Amino acid sequence: MSLARIAIFISGSGSNAEKIIEHFQNHESIKVALLLSNNAGAYGLQRAARYNIATLVFNKVQFRESDEIISVLRAAGITHIVLAGFLWLIPQNLIEAFPNRIINIHPALLPKFGGKGMYGMRVHEAVKQAGESETGITIHEVNARYDDGEILSQQKCRVEKSDSPEQIAAKVQQLEHQYYPQVIEKWITSS
Ligand code: GRF
């Protein structure tokens, strides 16, 4: 396999991004080359800098109304895009530039608890509210609709009646950190 170069997109904490960076640190054929964020205050930017990963902050006009980000990705030799807590919808031009090469993680068992506005604690609050006995993570390819591409992997955990949304979030995050890096590796090496 030729060298794969990953760009990670984040909007916030970036704890998944850090696990991914760690996972691929010494990998022979896959490298995290760039971390991008729409949010200059995203803590994930600091995490990336600690690993000497190049970072870039961009605005909505650059992202949605031009090919600027695509040019940046091409110049950096990016082959695969990983979304890790990135809150903006991916525009059509980016999807067409990287067909079947964009992956996302959602903190619930899609198609339940997905779609516009379903992110962060809102997801876990909705799971609690619905009285679900299980929840988990969904890793999927990305298309032009929120949380809608082909599902590559789902992992489940139990929800106890006594669990608070915060406790549910902690269980789900543990699954994310455990599985997202390895599913990304399998997705890249088998593509
Ligand atoms: C995760 O729950 C992920 O599933 C969702 O956004 C969250 C990002 O968390 N898409 P972090 O920024 O990686 O800590």
Side-chain angles (χ1 to χ4, degrees):
M1 197 187 94
S2 56
L3 188 68
R5 290 173 64 83
I6 297 175
I8 306 178
F9 282 68
I10 63 153
S11 295
S13 160
S15 71
N16 280 280
E18 182 162 2
K19 293 287 173 193
I20 296 162
I21 290 167
E22 278 174 0
H23 182 86
F24 291 111
Q25 257 187 326
N26 305 317
H27 195 283
E28 59 175 11
S29 59
I30 302 174
K31 182 178 164 55
V32 176
L34 189 59
L35 180 135
L36 301 96
S37 182
N38 61 305
N39 172 12
Y43 181 58
L45 291 164
Q46 294 178 42
R47 296 190 200 253
R50 284 206 289 270
Y51 292 85
N52 289 320
I53 306 286
T55 60
L56 180 78
V57 176
F58 57 85
N59 63 34
K60 210 161 225 165
V61 174
Q62 291 170 304
F63 189 62
R64 301 209 67 87
E65 292 164 28
S66 78
D67 287 331
E68 210 176 310
I69 298 302
I70 295 173
S71 302
V72 167
L73 297 172
R74 294 252 190 262
I78 299 303
T79 57
H80 294 77
I81 294 176
V82 170
L83 309 182
F86 181 64
L87 296 180
W88 287 357
L89 192 64
I90 303 300
Q92 194 63 37
N93 61 345
L94 188 49
I95 287 170
E96 282 169 13
F98 290 86
N100 304 107
R101 291 290 179 274
I102 311 178
I103 197 172
N104 182 41
I105 189 165
H106 185 76
L109 297 172
L110 292 174
K112 284 181 168 182
F113 309 107
K116 191 166 165 55
M118 267 295 175
Y119 61 88
M121 284 306 292
R122 293 187 195 185
V123 177
H124 310 301
E125 278 156 11
V127 166
K128 166 96 187 159
Q129 190 72 29
E132 296 288 304
S133 60
E134 61 180 19
T135 186
I137 59 170
T138 303
I139 298 169
H140 63 94
E141 285 193 347
V142 172
N143 63 23
R145 290 177 296 277
Y146 278 111
D147 303 331
D148 187 65
E150 186 194 336
I151 292 176
L152 302 172
S153 175
Q154 288 192 307
Q155 305 296 331
K156 296 176 182 172
C157 58
R158 279 196 55 77
V159 178
E160 308 298 340
K161 285 209 178 346
S162 59
D163 280 349
S164 65
E166 289 75 17
Q167 285 169 314
I168 298 172
K171 289 180 184 177
V172 169
Q173 188 184 55
Q174 200 260 326
L175 288 178
E176 294 187 324
H177 291 173
Q178 184 179 350
Y179 287 100
Y180 201 18
Q182 68 189 57
V183 171
I184 292 167
E185 180 170 3
K186 206 165 147 218
W187 171 64
I188 292 177
T189 49
S190 64
S191 64

